[in-house]
């Protein structure tokens, strides 16, 4: 659902429709021929308008006045990336603020003012809004400027993938600063005045080296760097340094005062740009994040950058011991201009495959209800609700084919084509219109600020691209550029343009490559920064790109979709669902947020405080692109347990969505709820009983998705029930192909078909969703399972390094093993016991630690947690035994009987700077619980 959730960014482009059409063609997303002076621009069989429909609006201020991009002369002609973390610099949403609203770069925060750039480093969270929101709100520590600077406005002068350069000028003085995500430095270029820093509180000087000054303000350490030969003068809360013949200076927030020497080394290596690159192959998505620099003095061109949690979890590049606080958890510092990440590709399918769990006759009845409805589009007229209706119908096309109903399939395809073609043809009641100033394509009738604020384009258009991808699966002629594919690609260009050099649309409008997720507000005009509510509608676009690219043979768009989906999947797990329980601050009493803000997160939506919508908004729409959510099944369980608590009982309004969500972790439980409640509910507006029935019963038959195993085809997935894996893939090609999975299994898929099988040559691996265990002695299995079963082959898991920090008592990148649905009666006088076989090789100074937790009822709340003293491994190769007799370090809560409960074991490195190995699969490593 979409409500006042966000907004855009500006850019003037006084270029004719002919040039726009040529630009689209030049980057391979045409063809687009434009008449010399026409209001409608033809694109294949379709068209869009270069003029808004009468009576409609484009971007405006909050009072309704038209607004154009606020950029310098040097930046005119460049498409502005609206929906970014800094967009308020370029999109003046408020007439009385020509500077910016707070911008959250992390670790630093910023706000432009007449006198320069406010800078803060919020390290203490506040829980506000009756406990429903946590925030690290911008609070000024200091302002960077020039003596006498009093600029009437601040403009965007330059930008790259995750950096921006604000510009100030008052006629006598000019100032440019470069700021960005993960950047501890602020780089300044100025003329007409001395470098000037004003602090919010009296600074304490802890180092004075003339042109280098270390100060502490409000408990935060900063270093100020003027050109060589200059000297900082401190007068109360004002610090100045002459620039002489130079024009540069910089500052940095330090992780500690003793880091000054390291940061001084890079103080004059100014960042000039940022760039992300990616690739997707063999079930893996790899990315590289690179900063370009220029030395202002000396020869050093290296730099320091702070990685977000979703990045450092997936990099093998060395990191320093330095860290920062952020709303996204700990940020870790890398010394160097680049780093790379590697992740398992998120699974995508056009639909769940055919299974024995679905009754054909029953499903046909549900399908007929949708296909034969008097108005299959439910009265939708605007871009969002039309999109929702398109998505609902598109979900059912492969389902109809699975049960041998070609007439229903073709009827649904006809409905999709008809409505898409209406929107893809200018001049009717619904159309897309191009704004030459803002370089954006907006659908009219618009909704939820998609026109006046440039909100949510990636949400709205995701449904159109997804529906078009389903049509392309069955009718490639329709999807040709010369037919309707050209308009589909034009929508893609607006929402997720992969081309940086395009003159018609900005690069990746909504997706922030460094933050790892999209932003929804076009203008970012909020004190809390930008925001995104429905992360699942963002990934709906990413999955749609995988499907569209696969269906049309466009590898660039397919791989772009894989990168966006895989990256945002981890960001959602960490920042929306707090999957590792390492991001949300201790005082925030929620297991999920409905919205992520630049400053933090909120257990809320834009339109209601009802828990069902708060939990469901990051689930819808449920499609074959939703399977990635199953990568964190415990987070799903905690999420749904909280829903029941907050809701005062099970879901009512959005029960179908939430049943489908549960089916990604516990299909049998979801099916039981469907069986008991399917007769008496109204489907969510993007859902249907046909799709919900097919989804839940298919997963009950095949098992929950297992994203830990990937295929070398983008449109593939794996499901696991007990120890049996089912492999699925859709082959869009014209000849059969064999898909190879990461566990060694293979699956032959006929041309233009979906196939399933139990694999050839695969290693079934651990049971990701075992039956309730019997007994009280558990073995560890690679993959995160505790099981009472025996007879497995010996293996080992890697305990990640502590990275040189002390994590005694606090899990850090832990190995997690769980047994679920455990029943047992507490045995008086007995306690937890374990024996864990560890090997640190020849590494010196390592120590591993264990924590055992008991969730007595399986509701996601752990009533008893026991943390044991760490075990110092020796630097001699060979297994050593870590036992509970090392002693308890701490314990909280009390034990009681287990009734469908969960037992969790976590193992991590408490100290050291190297990994270790933990034995699995044998009686050498066991956990014994005090239950009979």
């Amino acid at each position: 659902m979409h409500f006042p959730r966000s907004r855009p960014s500006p850019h003037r482009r006084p270029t004719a429709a002919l040039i726009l059409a040529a630009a689209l063609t030049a980057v391979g997303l045409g063809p687009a021929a434009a008449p010399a002076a026409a209001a409608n621009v033809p694109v294949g069989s379709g068209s869009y308008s270069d003029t808004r429909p009468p009576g409609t609006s484009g971007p405006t201020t909050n009072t309704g006045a038209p607004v154009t991009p606020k950029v310098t002369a040097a930046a005119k002609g460049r498409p502005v990336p609206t929906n970014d973390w800094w967009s308020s610099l370029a999109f003046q949403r408020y007439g009385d603020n020509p500077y910016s609203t707070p911008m959250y770069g992390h670790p630093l925060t910023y706000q432009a003012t007449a006198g320069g750039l406010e800078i803060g480093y919020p390290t203490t969270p506040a829980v506000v809004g009756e406990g429903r929101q946590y925030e690290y709100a911008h609070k000024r520590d200091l302002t960077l400027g020039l003596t006498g600077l009093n600029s009437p406005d601040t403009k965007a002068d330059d930008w790259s993938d995750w950096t921006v350069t604000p510009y100030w000028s008052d006629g006598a003085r000019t100032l440019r600063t470069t700021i960005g995500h993960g950047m501890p430095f602020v780089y300044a270029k100025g003329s007409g005045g001395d470098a000037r820093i004003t602090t919010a509180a009296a600074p304490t000087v802890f180092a004075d080296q003339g042109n280098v000054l270390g100060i502490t303000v409000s408990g935060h350490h900063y270093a100020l760097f003027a050109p060589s030969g200059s000297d900082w003068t401190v007068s109360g809360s004002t610090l100045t340094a002459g620039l002489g013949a130079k024009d540069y200076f910089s500052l940095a927030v330090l992780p500690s005062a003793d880091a000054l020497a390291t940061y001084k080394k890079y103080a004059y290596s100014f960042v000039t740009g940022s760039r992300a690159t990616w690739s997707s192959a063999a079930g893996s998505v790899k990315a590289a994040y690179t900063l370009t620099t220029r030395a202002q003095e000396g020869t050093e061109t290296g730099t320091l950058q702070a990685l977000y949690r979703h990045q450092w979890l997936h990099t093998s590049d060395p990191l320093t011991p330095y860290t920062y606080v952020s709303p996204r958890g700990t940020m870790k510092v890398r010394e160097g201009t680049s780093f790379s990440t590697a992740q398992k590709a998120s699974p995508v399918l056009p639909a769940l495959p055919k299974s024995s769990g679905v009754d054909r006759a029953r499903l046909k009845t549900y399908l007929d209800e949708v296909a034969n409805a008097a108005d299959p589009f439910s009265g939708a007229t605007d871009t969002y609700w039309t999109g929702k209706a398109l998505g609902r119908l598109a979900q059912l096309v492969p389902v109809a084919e699975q049960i041998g109903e070609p007439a229903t399939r073709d009827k649904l395809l006809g409905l999709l084509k008809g409505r898409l073609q209406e929107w893809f043809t200018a001049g009717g009641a619904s159309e897309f219109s191009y704004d030459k100033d803002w370089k954006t394509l907006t659908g009219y009738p618009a909704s939820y600020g998609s026109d006046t604020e440039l909100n949510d384009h990636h949400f709205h258009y995701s449904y159109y691209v997804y529906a078009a991808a389903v049509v392309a699966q069955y009718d490639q002629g329709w999807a040709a550029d010369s037919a309707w594919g050209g308009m589909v690609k034009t929508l893609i260009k607006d929402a997720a343009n992969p081309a940086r050099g395009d003159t018609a649309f900005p690069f990746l409008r909504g997706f922030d490559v460094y933050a790892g997720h999209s932003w929804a507000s076009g203008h970012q005009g909020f004190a809390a920064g930008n925001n995104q509510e429905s992360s699942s509608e963002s990934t709906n676009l990413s999955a749609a790109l995988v499907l569209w690219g696969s269906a049309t043979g466009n590898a660039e768009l397919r791989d772009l979709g894989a990168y966006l989906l895989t990256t945002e999947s981890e960001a959602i797990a960490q920042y929306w669902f707090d999957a590792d329980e390492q991001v949300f601050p201790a005082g925030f009493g929620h297991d999920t947020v409905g919205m992520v803000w630049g400053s933090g997160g909120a257990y809320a939506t834009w339109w209601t405080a009802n828990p069902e919508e708060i939990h469901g908004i990051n689930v819808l729409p449920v499609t074959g692109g939703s399977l990635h959510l199953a990568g964190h099944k415990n987070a799903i369980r905690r999420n749904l347990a909280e829903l029941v608590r907050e809701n005062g009982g099970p879901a009512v309004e959005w029960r179908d969505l939430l049943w489908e969500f549960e089916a990604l972790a516990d299909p049998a439980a979801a099916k039981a709820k469907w069986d008991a409640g399917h007769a008496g509910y109204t489907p969510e507006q993007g859902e249907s009983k046909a799709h919900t029935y097919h989804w839940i019963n298919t997963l009950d038959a095949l098992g929950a998705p297992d994203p830990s195993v990937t295929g070398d085809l983008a449109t593939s997935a794996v499901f696991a029930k007990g120890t049996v894996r089912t492999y699925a893939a859709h082959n869009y090609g014209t000849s059969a192909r064999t898909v190879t999975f990461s566990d060694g299994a293979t699956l032959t898929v006929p041309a233009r078909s979906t196939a399933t099988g139990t694999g050839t040559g695969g290693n079934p691996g651990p049971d990701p969703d075992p039956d309730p265990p019997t007994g009280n002695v558990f073995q560890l299995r690679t993959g995160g399972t505790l099981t009472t079963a025996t007879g497995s082959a010996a293996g080992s898991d890697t305990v990640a390094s502590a990275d040189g920090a002390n994590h005694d008592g606090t899990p850090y990148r832990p190995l997690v093993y769980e047994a679920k649905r455990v029943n047992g009666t507490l045995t008086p006088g007995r306690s937890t016991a374990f024996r864990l076989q560890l090997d640190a090789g020849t590494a010196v100074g390592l120590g591993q630690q264990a924590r055992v937790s008991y969730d007595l009822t399986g509701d996601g709340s752990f009533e008893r947690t026991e943390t044991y003293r760490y075990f110092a491994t020796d630097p001699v190769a060979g297994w050593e035994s870590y036992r509970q007799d090392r002693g308890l370090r701490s314990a909280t809560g009390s034990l009681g009987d287990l009734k469908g409960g969960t037992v969790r074991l976590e193992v991590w490195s408490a100290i050291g700077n190297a990994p270790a190995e933990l034995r699995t699969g044998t009686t050498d490593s066991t956990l014994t619980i005090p239950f009979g």
Side-chain angles (χ1 to χ4, degrees):
M1 309 265 309
H2 290 73
F3 302 80
R5 81 160 27 96
S6 46
R7 295 102 206 213
S9 170
H11 216 110
R12 176 181 300 277
R13 180 180 179 330
T15 317
L18 177 62
I19 298 177
L20 169 62
L24 288 172
T25 304
V27 295
L29 289 181
N40 295 341
V41 180
V43 182
S45 298
S47 58
Y48 61 85
S49 172
D50 66 358
T51 304
R52 284 191 298 274
T56 63
S57 295
T60 66
T61 66
N62 64 320
T63 59
V67 64
T68 55
K70 184 164 61 78
V71 299
T72 64
K76 288 203 181 291
R78 291 181 61 191
V80 173
T82 62
N83 309 76
D84 217 330
W85 67 272
W86 56 266
S87 295
S88 61
L89 279 171
F91 192 139
Q92 186 176 342
R93 179 64 176 164
Y94 308 103
D96 60 351
N97 181 1
Y99 304 103
S100 81
T101 53
M103 301 172 289
Y104 293 81
H106 306 143
L108 291 172
T109 61
Y110 316 95
Q111 185 167 8
T113 66
L117 184 68
E118 285 187 3
I119 298 165
Y121 174 41
T123 53
T124 302
V127 178
V128 299
E130 298 179 340
R132 300 173 74 88
Q133 182 167 349
Y134 77 87
E135 60 180 14
Y136 293 77
H138 169 69
K139 183 179 180 181
R140 169 182 171 259
D141 280 344
L142 45 81
T143 301
L144 179 153
L146 300 171
T147 53
L149 178 65
N150 186 22
S151 179
D153 58 25
T154 308
K155 299 176 180 178
D157 185 56
D158 195 10
W159 52 84
S160 61
D161 287 9
W162 63 88
T163 68
V164 64
T165 299
Y167 172 88
W168 295 258
S169 178
D170 62 7
R173 289 157 287 268
T174 63
L175 174 68
R176 290 175 174 86
T177 64
T178 296
I179 56 179
H181 279 316
M183 287 171 46
F185 287 95
V186 176
Y187 307 98
K189 290 287 194 80
S191 63
D194 293 341
R196 183 174 187 262
I197 305 294
T198 57
T199 59
T204 300
V205 176
F206 66 82
D208 186 351
Q209 302 171 13
N211 67 319
V212 176
L213 195 68
I215 61 173
T216 302
V217 181
S218 302
H220 302 140
H221 306 299
Y222 290 90
L224 314 181
F225 304 98
S228 296
S230 184
D231 193 14
W232 286 99
T233 299
V234 181
S235 176
S237 61
T238 301
L239 303 89
T240 57
L243 299 179
K246 310 293 178 56
D247 64 352
Y248 56 85
F249 61 105
S250 67
L251 68 75
V253 61
L254 303 179
S256 59
D258 60 9
L260 176 60
T262 300
Y263 280 67
K264 177 181 176 181
K265 176 181 178 182
Y266 301 110
Y268 304 101
S269 176
F270 277 31
V271 168
T272 58
S274 57
R275 185 181 183 93
T277 57
W278 57 84
S279 63
S280 178
S284 177
V285 171
K286 297 180 179 179
Y289 301 87
T290 303
L291 295 172
T292 54
T293 63
R294 180 179 300 119
Q296 300 302 306
E297 59 181 62
T299 59
E300 179 61 61
T301 56
T303 193
L304 296 161
Q305 51 190 320
L307 279 63
Y308 283 114
R309 179 176 180 82
H310 76 275
Q311 295 169 323
W312 57 254
L313 281 173
H314 297 286
T315 188
S316 58
D317 293 332
L319 303 175
T320 72
Y322 299 130
T323 62
Y324 290 104
V325 174
S326 88
R328 309 293 180 253
T330 300
M331 299 183 79
K332 299 187 177 186
V333 177
R334 169 146 170 85
E335 195 168 7
T337 56
S338 67
F339 65 91
S340 60
T341 60
Q343 293 176 254
K344 294 179 179 179
S346 293
V348 179
L349 288 172
L352 291 185
K354 185 176 181 179
S355 79
S356 61
V358 172
D359 179 82
R360 181 189 178 281
R362 186 176 181 184
L363 181 54
K364 182 181 185 305
T365 299
Y366 289 141
L367 281 170
D368 288 344
E369 290 176 1
V370 178
N372 299 328
D375 178 9
F377 290 92
S378 305
T381 58
D382 63 52
T383 49
Y384 181 67
W385 291 105
T386 297
K388 292 272 287 186
L390 288 168
R392 183 178 66 248
L393 298 176
Q395 291 169 349
L396 300 180
V397 173
V399 172
E401 183 177 50
Q402 281 179 21
I403 64 169
E405 290 293 326
T408 304
R409 176 200 66 196
D410 293 345
K411 183 174 185 178
L412 293 169
L413 285 169
L415 290 169
L416 294 175
K417 290 178 183 179
R419 189 55 58 98
L420 286 169
Q421 288 167 198
E422 287 179 20
W423 278 90
F424 290 168
T425 303
S430 52
E431 69 174 24
F432 287 95
S433 171
Y434 183 75
D435 186 309
K436 300 179 185 67
D437 289 333
W438 288 95
K439 296 179 174 48
T440 187
L441 196 72
T442 302
Y444 292 92
S447 50
Y448 307 116
S450 61
D451 51 353
T452 57
E453 302 177 63
L454 298 189
N455 293 344
D456 303 350
H457 284 204
H458 62 310
F459 293 160
H460 295 209
Y461 301 171
S462 73
Y463 292 100
Y464 293 75
V465 179
Y466 171 70
V470 171
V471 173
Q473 182 178 335
Y474 297 92
D475 187 347
Q476 291 188 315
W478 184 93
D481 288 350
S482 57
W484 299 97
M487 277 300 296
V488 178
K489 289 181 176 180
T490 305
L491 257 66
I492 293 171
K493 291 286 283 185
D494 180 76
N497 183 10
R500 291 179 181 81
D502 193 345
T503 58
F505 296 100
F507 171 67
L508 296 181
R509 179 182 304 280
F511 192 81
D512 186 327
V513 294
Y514 205 87
H517 60 81
S518 295
W519 297 110
S521 169
H523 56 70
Q524 183 259 311
F526 304 96
N530 213 323
N531 72 90
Q532 179 165 260
E533 182 182 60
S534 185
S535 61
S536 48
E537 286 178 308
S538 178
T539 56
N540 191 46
L541 175 61
S542 305
L545 291 174
V546 173
L547 297 176
W548 173 264
S550 298
T552 60
N554 189 319
E556 180 187 32
L557 293 180
R558 178 200 66 205
D559 293 349
L560 170 64
Y563 165 70
L564 298 179
L565 177 61
T566 301
T567 304
E568 190 155 20
S569 174
E570 186 65 75
I572 292 167
Q574 300 300 330
Y575 311 141
W576 274 260
F577 297 159
D578 196 16
D580 296 337
E581 300 180 73
Q582 296 292 312
V583 172
F584 295 172
F588 182 64
H590 295 282
D591 290 314
T592 188
V593 295
M595 304 171 69
V596 161
W597 287 88
S599 64
Y603 186 78
T605 71
W606 276 108
W607 80 102
T608 180
N610 185 25
E612 295 185 35
E613 282 80 357
I614 293 171
H615 288 258
I617 193 62
N618 286 291
V619 177
L620 64 81
V622 177
T623 73
S626 305
L627 304 178
H628 70 95
L629 294 170
H632 295 275
K633 294 180 174 62
N634 286 332
I636 294 176
R637 295 179 179 113
R638 285 192 295 109
N639 188 308
L640 292 173
E642 179 182 21
L643 166 66
V644 174
R645 293 195 304 271
E646 293 287 333
N647 207 42
V652 177
E653 296 174 15
W654 279 8
R655 67 181 78 176
D656 47 356
L657 284 171
L658 296 162
W659 291 339
E660 291 173 304
F661 188 37
E662 184 169 21
L664 293 169
D666 297 306
K671 183 178 183 300
K673 291 174 182 174
W674 160 267
D675 288 342
H678 70 269
Y681 81 96
T682 300
E684 187 272 331
Q685 288 163 292
E687 265 297 334
S688 63
K689 286 192 174 181
H691 181 256
T692 304
Y693 169 72
H694 180 265
W695 181 271
I696 292 172
N697 285 271
T698 298
L699 291 178
D700 183 58
L702 300 180
D706 182 4
S708 69
V709 182
T710 59
D712 63 0
L713 183 66
T715 48
S716 62
V718 180
F719 305 87
K721 187 171 187 177
T723 59
V724 177
R725 282 182 177 147
T726 298
Y727 303 84
H730 185 84
N731 177 13
Y732 287 92
T734 56
S735 59
R737 67 160 292 171
T738 297
V739 180
T740 301
F741 291 85
S742 59
D743 64 353
T746 59
L747 176 69
T748 299
V749 189
R752 302 184 62 77
S753 300
T754 296
T756 60
T758 54
T760 301
N763 175 7
D767 180 355
D769 190 28
D771 292 331
T774 58
N776 68 340
V777 180
F778 294 84
Q779 292 183 19
L780 285 60
R781 294 284 190 269
T782 295
T785 301
L786 291 173
T787 179
T788 55
T790 59
S792 177
S796 67
D797 288 340
T798 300
V799 185
S801 167
D803 293 330
N806 188 318
H807 302 287
D808 184 12
T810 303
Y812 175 76
R813 299 165 65 184
L815 294 171
V816 181
Y817 304 88
E818 288 191 339
K820 303 180 185 305
R821 303 198 295 278
V822 183
N823 298 303
T825 301
L826 180 63
T827 303
R830 296 183 60 184
S831 58
T832 305
F834 60 81
R835 179 178 59 198
L836 304 176
Q837 295 290 298
L838 293 159
D839 181 14
T842 58
V844 176
L846 273 58
Q848 292 75 43
Q849 194 159 30
R851 183 167 77 175
V852 181
S853 304
Y854 296 91
D855 171 2
L856 299 179
T857 61
D859 66 354
S861 299
F862 286 86
E863 287 80 9
R864 171 72 171 177
T865 299
E866 302 170 357
T867 303
Y868 291 82
R869 293 190 177 94
Y870 69 76
F871 176 73
T873 46
D874 63 35
V876 179
W879 297 108
E880 301 176 75
S881 185
Y882 173 24
R883 304 168 63 95
Q884 78 284 348
D885 53 19
R886 287 290 302 163
L888 274 173
R889 184 186 186 278
S890 64
T892 61
S894 301
L895 282 172
D897 293 345
L898 283 163
K899 299 177 181 179
T902 298
V903 179
R904 176 186 293 175
L905 168 67
E906 297 167 274
V907 182
W908 69 95
S909 292
I911 58 172
N913 206 18
E917 293 298 308
L918 172 62
R919 190 78 155 169
T920 62
T922 75
T923 56
D924 291 340
S925 289
T926 59
L927 169 68
T928 303
I929 62 175
F931 295 84

